[in-house]
Amino acid sequence: MAAEAVVRIQSDWDQVLRKNEGEVWLSCRSPGKSTLYGTLTCQGVGADGIPEITASEGFVVKDVTKKSLLVSCPRENASTRFRAPYTAFCRIHQKSVTCLDLSSGGGLGVSTSADGTMKIWQAANGEIRRRLEGHVYDVNCCRFFPSGIVVLSGGMDAQLKIWSAEDGRCVATFQGHKAGILDTAIVDRGRNVVSSSRDGTARLWDCGRSACLGTVADCGSPINGIALGGADNTLNLGSPETAPSEREIGTEGKLLLLAREDKKFQGVGLQSRQPVFLFVGSDAFNCCAFLSSIYLLAGAQDGNIHQLDVRNTKAPVRVIRRSGAPVLSLLPYKDGFIASQGDGTCFILQQDLDHIVELTGADCDPVYKVATWEKQIYTCCRDGLVRRYHLSDL
């Protein structure tokens, strides 16, 4: 198991180190060893606005810009690039922001909140464009269709809804789940969608007729997260027992991943409805993602991120662990992924980088979801903020 040394920094480091003699704490924790503590101190700010920073013994700081710095701990051979948000939107919601997504063109965002609202806003400045009203109780999940002008949402009211991002109207409602909807996935361009629920089922829906095309999985335990992707063609996805409806569009060759509350991570053939693999972990699974058609990720309540090879899921290829806090979201990014956790940890792991990138700003508040568009990353957090990061040089 890859339990590597973890370098941490004070969450508001970018603001503190703008001031002369400003000081922030650092730590490097390695399993089984004493934690190394240190500080970074601002020795003055240059004409270009970039601070001159020195590190205390045991740490080295370099590549300093206004919004990022690279800190290494030579003792543990650990390096982390910390990135502060470029901007934070505090006026979209009044309370905890629980889910968000960006349109395919990057112009619009959609988010849900514990204040009971779901809103569409301009990604550039957070200005609210539409309020999507119609769910009873909280909305758990929201995402744009590939067109970027239609939104899919799922709520505690066990309803799925489709909305026009242009005028905010609810254009379709799907009913059939017996408990709150926890996650959704869109099949290809969106003639069909998939939902997962606290009722233990994942269902396939026909958007044109607002009808359920079938139950893809029924596992008797809440399905916290799902992901849909094209499976490696050597994988046997099984055959459907009855001929698929002609209303099923694009389900062939697709594998549906289920992150289950009962500590199981499962793969099911979307068209066949047949189980493909079942991996048993050490705690509830909250989220999952495809790294490729072969490599899968599953994030658990105990902080472990399991990477599996779909051709042999008996044991993980590796287990990544940055903190013991619940893994709340996983998102493929370039040749790696972005993970967010319940203690405010949000990091990017990439194959070709010799350091981790940590997105800072959330101070111990859970980061629930991450969305990307080109070199911009947006996160939503319990502190009510949507943060935007620029990764110009990543």
Side-chain angles (χ1 to χ4, degrees):
M1 179 165 143
E4 293 158 11
V6 176
V7 183
R8 298 248 184 255
I9 197 168
Q10 189 171 317
S11 64
D12 60 350
W13 64 268
D14 58 310
Q15 287 151 34
V16 176
L17 294 177
R18 273 186 216 153
K19 305 179 190 92
N20 196 17
E21 297 185 0
E23 188 176 274
V24 300
W25 61 262
L26 281 174
S27 69
C28 182
R29 184 174 50 81
S30 192
K33 294 187 188 174
S34 60
T35 301
L36 187 64
Y37 294 98
T39 55
L40 293 181
T41 308
C42 174
Q43 305 292 351
V45 180
D48 53 5
I50 294 172
E52 180 84 25
I53 294 170
T54 55
S56 60
E57 192 181 344
F59 293 94
V60 177
V61 62
K62 52 189 180 200
D63 291 356
V64 178
T65 71
K66 286 181 188 173
K67 294 288 182 186
S68 90
L69 43 79
L70 184 64
V71 177
S72 53
C73 174
R75 182 188 88 174
E76 301 299 339
N77 194 23
S79 292
T80 299
R81 177 177 293 285
F82 295 103
R83 282 196 169 273
Y86 183 79
T87 185
F89 303 132
C90 57
R91 297 203 174 123
I92 300 174
H93 295 286
Q94 304 304 307
K95 289 185 182 171
S96 169
V97 188
T98 49
C99 189
L100 91 168
D101 192 26
L102 294 176
S103 64
S104 50
L108 294 176
V110 62
S111 54
T112 62
S113 169
D115 64 13
T117 64
M118 176 167 45
K119 296 176 183 177
I120 290 173
W121 35 273
Q122 280 178 225
N125 58 15
E127 192 178 301
I128 293 162
R129 297 287 297 275
R130 296 279 178 266
R131 287 171 173 77
L132 306 180
E133 295 169 340
H135 278 287
V136 187
Y137 313 125
D138 283 358
V139 188
N140 289 335
C141 47
C142 58
R143 70 170 69 242
F144 279 98
F145 279 77
S147 67
I149 53 171
V150 184
V151 168
L152 175 66
S153 66
M156 287 295 285
D157 56 7
Q159 297 187 99
L160 273 173
K161 288 182 178 284
I162 294 179
W163 312 79
S164 161
E166 292 173 315
D167 60 14
R169 279 183 312 123
C170 175
V171 294
T173 299
F174 308 160
Q175 293 175 317
H177 279 294
K178 304 283 191 292
I181 289 161
L182 299 175
D183 203 4
T184 60
I186 292 170
V187 185
D188 288 353
R189 289 171 55 201
R191 305 266 296 271
N192 294 170
V193 298
V194 184
S195 58
S196 72
S197 165
R198 282 188 202 282
D199 66 14
T201 67
R203 293 172 181 253
L204 179 69
W205 304 85
D206 172 2
C207 293
R209 292 184 179 167
S210 303
C212 183
L213 290 169
T215 300
V216 182
D218 187 351
C219 39
S221 167
I223 303 170
N224 293 323
I226 56 176
L228 186 61
D232 183 67
N233 50 22
T234 60
L235 195 65
N236 179 13
L237 293 179
S239 303
E241 289 172 1
T242 54
S245 155
E246 77 281 355
R247 302 288 300 179
E248 269 192 42
I249 314 289
T251 57
E252 195 177 353
K254 298 282 196 314
L255 179 66
L256 181 68
L257 306 179
L258 312 173
R260 296 168 37 169
E261 183 69 22
D262 60 0
K263 307 183 184 179
K264 290 172 183 164
F265 175 46
Q266 185 176 14
V268 179
L270 183 59
Q271 190 180 73
S272 70
R273 326 279 203 254
Q274 304 290 328
V276 175
F277 72 83
L278 185 67
F279 172 78
V280 182
S282 52
D283 208 340
F285 284 105
N286 294 327
C287 51
C288 51
F290 282 84
L291 267 183
S292 67
S293 61
I294 292 172
Y295 293 115
L296 318 173
L297 293 173
Q301 188 70 11
D302 58 10
N304 287 340
I305 299 170
H306 301 262
Q307 182 178 332
L308 297 180
D309 183 324
V310 74
R311 298 162 301 187
N312 178 11
T313 58
K314 286 188 173 59
V317 178
R318 63 174 176 162
V319 178
I320 299 136
R321 183 182 176 87
R322 296 277 297 165
S323 98
V327 183
L328 301 178
S329 78
L330 290 166
L331 183 70
Y333 186 72
K334 300 195 174 176
D335 60 354
F337 66 89
I338 308 173
S340 73
Q341 296 186 255
D343 60 356
T345 300
C346 187
F347 67 91
I348 308 171
L349 193 64
Q350 282 190 264
Q351 308 281 318
D352 58 350
L353 278 183
D354 60 356
H355 59 264
I356 293 264
V357 176
E358 188 97 35
L359 303 178
T360 61
D363 184 12
C364 302
D365 278 305
V367 176
Y368 293 114
K369 202 81 175 178
V370 180
T372 61
W373 183 74
E374 293 189 346
K375 289 184 175 178
Q376 316 223 25
I377 297 179
Y378 290 71
T379 64
C380 65
C381 182
R382 188 175 68 185
D383 62 12
L385 297 183
V386 171
R387 292 180 174 85
R388 184 175 84 186
Y389 301 83
H390 277 276
L391 299 189
S392 50
D393 52 354
L394 187 62

